[in-house]
Amino acid sequence: MQIKSVLLATAFAFVGISGANAADAIQYQEPVAAAPVQSFSWGGAYLGGQIGYGWGKSRYSDPAFVSAFTDQLKPDGFLGGLYAGYNFDLGNSVILGVDGDITYNNLKDGDSEDFGGIVIGNNTKLRWSGAVRARAGVAVDRFLPYIAGGVAFGSVKNSGYFDVVGLENFTGADTKTMTGWTLGAGVDYAATDNLIVRLEYRYTDYGRKDFSGTTDIFSYDTGNKLKTSDIRLGVAYKF
């Protein structure tokens, strides 16, 4: 009887010790908080390339010898180049920035008329252009609609020619850099955190310049005003 009591007491003691050890082995861990998802920020620098199509009006205020057949040309063509800038995120979805670009242009047009074997004509071409602009936009998640405006400049070549049947073609040409202003609107889209796609419309007034060119038989002198519009598609890397 005493042996049975000792055995039962020993068994209960063993079970109690085992239960206590098992309880000590179970450790409860505090739940780990999920890492916060970082929202996209428009702030920072970017560099990209763009292509587009432009059209415009080239008005001659004092066409001199070309007054008989035209006072306006309508140059158009493709363009392409580079752009870069920096955005400042002011909070509350307000984005301000500065943007600059340099672009090769192939906007050109020409006109001529035959006066009984004497052909008189002229040509105009926007060779390259650039701008420095301020931008302002309101971010809608990964979309950034904006407006932009600033100073624009472009290299314009104007020429007039006088061609007499059986004689040499005499051409007078002049190239000058014109400076004016530009306004535009567009939208940037962040396809990824670093890849920004842009679609933009831009209007530019290059102002007025006097052009002149002299040949052996005539002098080409005219004042020219140039205004252009263009649509541009760009892709930039955001640093």
Side-chain angles (χ1 to χ4, degrees):
M1 211 51 185
Q2 291 180 350
I3 295 175
K4 289 183 179 181
S5 299
V6 171
L7 291 175
L8 287 173
T10 303
F12 281 121
F14 179 78
V15 171
I17 294 173
S18 298
N21 291 337
D24 292 339
I26 299 175
Q27 297 180 354
Y28 294 94
Q29 294 182 348
E30 294 292 332
V32 179
V37 178
Q38 294 184 350
S39 60
F40 175 75
S41 173
W42 283 97
Y46 56 87
L47 172 66
Q50 60 185 346
I51 58 174
Y53 181 79
W55 63 96
K57 292 182 179 180
S58 183
R59 292 181 178 273
Y60 292 87
S61 58
D62 183 18
F65 76 95
V66 298
S67 60
F69 66 92
T70 185
D71 63 352
Q72 177 175 287
L73 295 177
K74 296 182 178 181
D76 66 330
F78 291 94
L79 56 91
L82 301 174
Y83 66 98
Y86 195 95
N87 290 325
F88 300 91
D89 190 341
L90 303 185
N92 295 323
S93 301
V94 177
I95 308 297
L96 298 181
V98 60
D99 185 280
D101 67 87
I102 187 73
T103 304
Y104 166 80
N105 293 264
N106 194 34
L107 276 69
K108 59 185 178 181
D109 190 23
D111 196 6
S112 64
E113 189 166 338
D114 189 341
F115 298 92
I118 300 176
V119 179
I120 299 176
N122 69 327
N123 298 284
T124 187
K125 180 178 180 180
L126 178 61
R127 302 167 65 237
W128 58 263
S129 66
V132 177
R133 307 179 299 160
R135 294 204 312 161
V138 177
V140 183
D141 193 16
R142 287 182 172 268
F143 288 90
L144 177 62
Y146 65 87
I147 58 175
V151 179
F153 43 90
S155 174
V156 179
K157 180 179 180 180
N158 284 332
S159 60
Y161 61 90
F162 185 86
D163 188 9
V164 181
V165 175
L167 297 178
E168 183 181 356
N169 184 328
F170 297 92
T171 301
D174 194 9
T175 301
K176 290 188 176 181
T177 299
M178 302 179 70
T179 303
W181 55 270
T182 183
L183 288 175
V187 59
D188 283 353
Y189 171 66
T192 70
D193 287 352
N194 300 107
L195 188 64
I196 312 297
V197 181
R198 171 181 294 186
L199 179 63
E200 179 183 275
Y201 166 78
R202 189 181 303 191
Y203 175 83
T204 304
D205 186 335
Y206 289 99
R208 183 185 182 280
K209 278 277 190 178
D210 292 325
F211 292 78
S212 63
T214 303
T215 73
D216 293 337
I217 64 172
F218 77 91
S219 177
Y220 171 75
D221 297 286
T222 184
N224 184 225
K225 289 183 178 181
L226 178 63
K227 300 177 181 180
T228 65
S229 295
D230 53 67
I231 297 292
R232 307 184 182 206
L233 177 64
V235 178
Y237 182 84
K238 178 181 176 296
F239 297 95

